[in-house]
Amino acid sequence: MHHAQLLDPFGRRITYLRLSVTDRCDFRCTYCMSEDMVFAPRAQILSLEELYTVADAFIGLGVKRIRITGGEPLVRKNLLSLLTRLGQRSELDDLAITTNGSQLAELAPQLCAAGVKRLNISLNSLKRERFAAFTRRDKLDQVLAGIEAARAAGFVRIKLNAVVQKGRNDDEVLDLVEFAMARGLDISFIEEMPLGSISSHQREQTFCSSDEVRERIEQRYALVRSSKLTGGPSRYWQVVGSDTQVGFISPHSHNFCGDCNRVRVTAEGKLVLCLGHDNALDLKGLMRAHPGDSQRLSEALIQALRLKPERHHFETDAQVQVIRFMSMTGG
Ligand code: SAM
Ligand code: SF4
């Protein structure tokens, strides 16, 4: 039994894990991937068993919420078997998935039955051509059908995620809010983050701040600050007179690091301590060198957390500073 907690050097308790189950995707969103992506060879990706082992170690150290992401998590074969195991862990307050929605029409009921409580579904535009331009796939109808299937399946809560770009979809902010309101969904608007190198656009020209998005919404709807805090870069507002919360995810214009409660594990098994830094610990190497040694894995996690950076520097430094601290394989 572990009684250790995951604490970083700044006293932040880590209770939230984002676990990526694949780097692959059936879409090629312009701000996320190039059209000709090269994905990691399958042997480099954590097996479902290894994913469960990682999650189990974090749960043993006090993690209460797990979000499954990717890539597109629903393209991972047999993901349901992992979700079913995690769904049975009573220590978890929340099990959630972030998805592009393309396969929800088929999978939503099974995800719900496996114990997934909340879904985040990405949707940047309600116009077919724009949707296709964002995702490089003409799949708007499929995603809209997925959203309806998710609503029917009975999740605790569904939230839409929209990346907003000036001149591309900033004029759809109100339409998206109303789409969410009409269906009893929440919606978050995301500022594009400078992650990875992309070729399709100059990010400075399309950058749209959360403050601008909020002003657009407030031209038609009253928003009141919600008490909901997630320990992440989101701030929530309630649309007065509705069931809908509107979130703003703004790594650029607001410093959210002070109450950061989360870490990420990539599909290749790298523990990433902060999105704005390149620090990573190779959990896959460790697990493959010492199969079944859960004690060693937990100790590595506790030690790694001592190196979680205090904050990111997106706003001061366009070229995010890269600090490498460890290339630990096998402990
Ligand atoms: N494939 C799933 C999806 O699209 O929801 C899950 C993974 S995706 C990387 C998670 C979220 O990150 C999506 O809402 C996506 O729009 C957003 N995203 C991707 N690249 C981004 C970027 N450069 N800046 C801001 N958000 C981004
Ligand atoms: Fe990236 Fe998600 Fe778009 Fe796939 S659907 S390209 S993972 S943002």
Side-chain angles (χ1 to χ4, degrees):
M1 273 289 93
H2 300 297
H3 297 286
Q5 295 282 336
L6 291 175
L7 274 180
D8 80 2
F10 309 98
R12 296 172 294 194
R13 225 180 98 198
I14 304 305
T15 54
Y16 182 20
L17 168 66
R18 293 176 91 105
L19 185 58
S20 173
V21 297
T22 180
D23 62 339
R24 287 159 204 256
C25 187
D26 51 340
F27 288 5
R28 294 289 182 277
C29 303
T30 52
Y31 42 76
C32 180
M33 294 187 179
S34 62
E35 179 62 88
D36 53 349
M37 285 296 286
V38 179
F39 296 107
R42 286 187 202 272
Q44 298 302 318
I45 300 297
L46 293 186
S47 67
L48 291 169
E49 194 57 42
E50 287 167 334
L51 286 165
Y52 184 76
T53 300
V54 169
D56 178 57
F58 274 104
I59 293 168
L61 292 169
V63 160
K64 299 278 177 224
R65 298 170 58 205
I66 296 181
R67 175 171 294 283
I68 303 294
T69 181
E72 172 48 41
L74 301 185
V75 306
R76 177 78 198 238
K77 278 220 185 75
N78 295 325
L79 181 69
L80 275 165
S81 65
L82 174 68
L83 295 174
T84 302
R85 289 177 85 182
L86 292 176
Q88 287 165 358
R89 296 296 299 256
S90 57
E91 303 97 319
L92 288 181
D93 297 334
D94 194 18
L95 178 61
I97 299 186
T98 302
T99 172
N100 65 24
S102 71
Q103 302 194 63
L104 283 176
E106 189 193 332
L107 291 175
Q110 297 166 71
L111 297 175
C112 199
V116 175
K117 296 206 170 81
R118 291 185 308 122
L119 287 186
N120 286 359
I121 307 172
S122 295
L123 181 67
N124 296 347
S125 177
L126 295 163
K127 298 182 199 277
R128 180 179 166 187
E129 261 139 52
R130 288 184 178 186
F131 181 95
F134 271 116
T135 61
R136 297 198 183 98
R137 297 292 182 270
D138 185 10
K139 298 274 173 71
L140 175 62
D141 286 348
Q142 206 171 307
V143 170
L144 294 178
I147 291 170
E148 290 316 308
R151 288 178 63 207
F155 292 97
V156 173
R157 200 71 195 159
I158 301 172
K159 181 163 76 75
L160 304 176
N161 278 337
V163 174
V164 184
Q165 290 183 345
K166 203 161 271 179
R168 305 241 166 114
N169 66 341
D170 57 330
D171 60 343
E172 277 190 83
V173 163
L174 278 168
D175 291 348
L176 286 163
V177 168
E178 286 169 359
F179 178 92
M181 286 168 68
R183 289 163 182 77
L185 313 177
D186 297 326
I187 182 164
S188 283
F189 293 99
I190 307 176
E191 288 176 359
E192 186 179 348
M193 286 183 275
L195 297 175
S197 72
I198 48 158
S199 54
S200 67
H201 59 287
Q202 293 288 321
R203 284 180 161 125
E204 316 76 73
Q205 287 163 17
T206 53
F207 180 72
C208 188
S209 78
S210 289
D211 289 341
E212 282 178 78
V213 174
R214 187 162 47 81
E215 279 161 23
R216 275 178 188 270
I217 298 169
E218 286 183 319
Q219 286 170 8
R220 195 174 303 166
Y221 297 102
L223 298 178
V224 286
R225 199 64 184 256
S226 154
S227 55
K228 177 165 138 185
L229 280 178
T230 61
S234 310
R235 294 294 172 265
Y236 288 92
W237 302 69
Q238 188 77 38
V239 182
V240 174
S242 91
D243 194 26
T244 292
Q245 295 216 344
V246 180
F248 299 96
I249 305 181
S250 24
H252 282 274
S253 27
H254 297 281
N255 179 9
F256 55 85
C257 305
D259 55 359
C260 177
N261 64 353
R262 57 191 57 192
V263 293
R264 295 161 193 268
V265 173
T266 70
E268 292 183 82
K270 294 215 160 57
L271 172 66
V272 178
L273 298 165
C274 167
L275 254 194
H277 294 260
D278 255 8
N279 298 359
L281 169 69
D282 177 17
L283 301 178
K284 168 166 53 82
L286 191 150
M287 284 188 287
R288 291 185 184 177
H290 305 279
D293 193 344
S294 57
Q295 186 66 32
R296 186 183 290 259
L297 179 60
S298 300
E299 278 160 17
L301 296 179
I302 292 168
Q303 277 192 14
L305 258 290
R306 300 212 180 109
L307 295 159
K308 185 170 163 67
E310 186 173 12
R311 64 188 309 272
H312 69 72
H313 296 280
F314 290 145
E315 75 284 11
T316 51
D317 196 352
Q319 285 294 101
V320 171
Q321 214 181 337
V322 174
I323 306 163
R324 289 179 197 283
F325 72 89
M326 233 195 266
S327 57
M328 181 172 156
T329 40

